[in-house]
Amino acid sequence: MSDLRTIHELEHFGFNAWPALRTILQGDWILRFADGYTKRANSVNALAPARGTPPSLLDQRIAAAVAQYARHGQRCVFRITPLLDPQVDALLQAKGWAAFDESIIMTADLAAMPMPDRVVVAAARDAAWSQGYRTFNGVPSERQAIHDRMLDAIAPEAGFAAAMDEAGVPAAFGLGVAERDHVGLFDIVSDPARRRAGHGRRVVEGLMAWGRARGATRAYLQVVADNARAIALYDKLGFHEAYRHYYRAAPA
């Protein structure tokens, strides 16, 4: 696992690259709200490493977080990262909060590389990118508007990638967000009917090249821990595990 300083930096890059629509700062926690779209943007996250807070105070802070999410009609979810005081995880577990969806943050060094054939990275999303992403990822139409609002809220430089097949038809999409010397890769999706054809890999390589051209020397991404096929692809592209996180949700 990476050191806490590196994890702290990657977490903040991730917050900026995948913005919530509303936030509440609660000490060294940030409560993120995005109308329920994605867990990362609708969860309690640690902003900085913290240890040794009295359990009674942590209980009060947990209750305050639960109340805030209740105000928004949402169940409270904590994102458990190495920055979060381990006592919080233990308290949530004791209260019956279920753990789920372990994910891996992976990083890679970037070298100068050419843009792959038939990959285009645009400075702004268009209707074709949004519609293609929604179709390939199975996003309900009523949720797409939330996703688009989150994309429009990205403050660092963003790149919207599309990989075309031999006929010039989009076969995969992805999002890159460049900040300082890092580029984050998000929303990597390919046509379910044309998987294993290398389109997803070309999108990833295209975003790595796009980020490198903007001065990035490191890339990072998130992948679900049980997605062995995607992890194998990222391994081949030079990515290695930096740390893991998972979620705990309040009992229904």
Side-chain angles (χ1 to χ4, degrees), residues 117-120 136 161-165 169-174 198-200 202-203:
D117 292 339
R118 303 192 310 279
V119 174
V120 176
F136 290 171
M164 313 298 177
D165 63 15
V169 177
F173 296 95
H199 301 304
R202 287 191 297 114
V203 161

Side-chain angles (χ1 to χ4, degrees), residues 75-76 88-100 247-252:
R75 184 159 68 153
C76 186
V88 175
D89 192 31
L91 286 169
L92 296 177
Q93 184 177 21
K95 295 173 184 293
W97 292 49
F100 63 102
Y247 296 89
R248 283 197 185 275

Side-chain angles (χ1 to χ4, degrees), residues 59 77 83 142 156 158 163 197-198 245:
D59 263 329
V77 174
L83 298 186
E142 65 272 14
H245 69 79

Side-chain angles (χ1 to χ4, degrees), residues 36-56:
Y37 187 83
T38 79
K39 298 180 296 298
R40 189 182 186 111
N42 292 274
S43 56
V44 182
N45 291 259
L47 285 169
R51 302 291 186 270
T53 304
S56 59

Side-chain angles (χ1 to χ4, degrees), residues 167-180:
V169 177
F173 296 95
L175 166 69
V177 181
E179 183 179 359
R180 289 185 281 162

Side-chain angles (χ1 to χ4, degrees), residues 113-197:
M113 59 187 73
M115 183 66 66
D117 292 339
R118 303 192 310 279
V119 174
V120 176
V121 183
R125 67 176 180 86
D126 58 15
W129 192 96
S130 291
Q131 178 63 34
Y133 173 83
R134 184 180 75 80
T135 301
F136 290 171
N137 208 35
V139 178
S141 57
E142 65 272 14
R143 308 298 282 172
Q144 183 63 39
I146 302 172
H147 181 239
D148 287 347
R149 287 169 62 200
M150 292 168 66
L151 295 178
D152 292 343
I154 297 172
E157 184 176 7
F160 297 83
M164 313 298 177
D165 63 15
E166 293 79 359
V169 177
F173 296 95
L175 166 69
V177 181
E179 183 179 359
R180 289 185 281 162
D181 58 347
H182 279 66
V183 58
L185 278 57
F186 301 86
D187 280 356
I188 308 298
V189 295
S190 56
D191 185 350
R194 290 178 285 176
R195 284 180 178 158
R196 300 184 182 276

